[in-house]
Amino acid sequence: MSSFHPHEIKVREGSGNPQGLRIAIVVSRFNNLVTDRLLDGALDALARAGATSSDLEVIKVPGAWELPVVVAELARLAKTDAIVCLGCVVRGDTPHFDYVAGESAKGIGAVAVDSGIPVANGVLTTNTMEQALDRAGGKLGNKGAEAAMCAVEMAQLLRDLKSTKG
Ligand code: INI
């Protein structure tokens, strides 16, 4: 147990308010049965939280492998406050899964760290299609919605950190 009074410590946490944030959602078409549902979940969560449609942009790419290059370009353009990546990589019988899933995660993570623009990872990596559907609006929720709200929170937190000293 800490000996500090809770009010003595400054705690910073981004809000879940998307208003005024320009958000790009980059979604891959591969396994689009799943990724369309992730996109629906992301847009629904943002709408419920009060996002303005003109602040949102959806960009479609062929597969999860293609996500990092687009995310990197969006970061270079610097017109976006937060990026949400959505995709679905299902393990097959070949090592392709490991390359696609690994490089996608590494690539989008590197852009976030290098640019200071939050990139939420809503790319499902599962052993089966059933596990993916469970996480795309099924019994385990919608990871697209979670990624979208994560991006909002992180954009607000980074905005707060950049705008205040100390
Ligand atoms: N892309 C995915 O998004 N999910 C997958 O499960 C997948 N599998 O299994 O192969 C996949 N492959 C395509 C890859 O993302 C690229 O689009 C392709 O290699 C062309 O660059």
Side-chain angles (χ1 to χ4, degrees):
M1 206 177 76
S2 121
S3 56
F4 294 115
H5 190 277
H7 299 296
E8 286 178 294
I9 309 293
K10 183 191 283 184
V11 176
R12 290 183 177 205
E13 198 172 8
S15 83
N17 180 3
Q19 279 175 3
L21 295 178
R22 297 158 304 172
I23 300 170
I25 303 174
V26 191
V27 56
S28 64
R29 287 192 306 269
F30 205 102
N31 290 325
N32 72 296
L33 180 66
V34 174
T35 62
D36 284 349
R37 295 180 190 190
L38 293 174
L39 179 60
D40 283 349
L43 292 173
D44 183 57
L46 290 168
R48 283 165 186 270
T52 305
S53 58
S54 56
D55 286 333
L56 306 180
E57 183 177 24
V58 174
I59 300 167
K60 296 200 174 188
V61 297
W65 179 270
E66 281 71 36
L67 292 168
V69 66
V70 173
V71 170
E73 187 57 29
L74 288 172
R76 270 193 291 275
L77 293 169
K79 293 179 193 155
T80 306
D81 300 302
I83 302 170
V84 183
C85 285
L86 303 176
C88 173
V89 193
V90 178
R91 190 180 288 281
D93 295 330
T94 70
H96 199 57
F97 170 94
D98 298 296
Y99 293 114
V100 173
E103 291 303 313
S104 166
K106 221 187 315 164
I108 65 181
V111 173
V113 172
D114 292 348
S115 69
I117 296 171
V119 184
N121 185 356
V123 179
L124 298 177
T125 53
T126 60
N127 288 324
T128 66
M129 183 55 80
E130 188 189 355
Q131 288 172 340
L133 289 167
D134 283 347
R135 291 159 177 79
K139 65 184 181 203
L140 296 175
N142 190 312
K143 299 294 172 191
E146 285 178 28
M149 293 318 294
C150 171
V152 168
E153 179 181 334
M154 287 300 294
Q156 294 290 14
L157 176 63
L158 286 165
R159 188 175 265 191
D160 179 43
L161 290 173
K162 285 172 191 167
S163 70
T164 53
K165 292 193 182 106

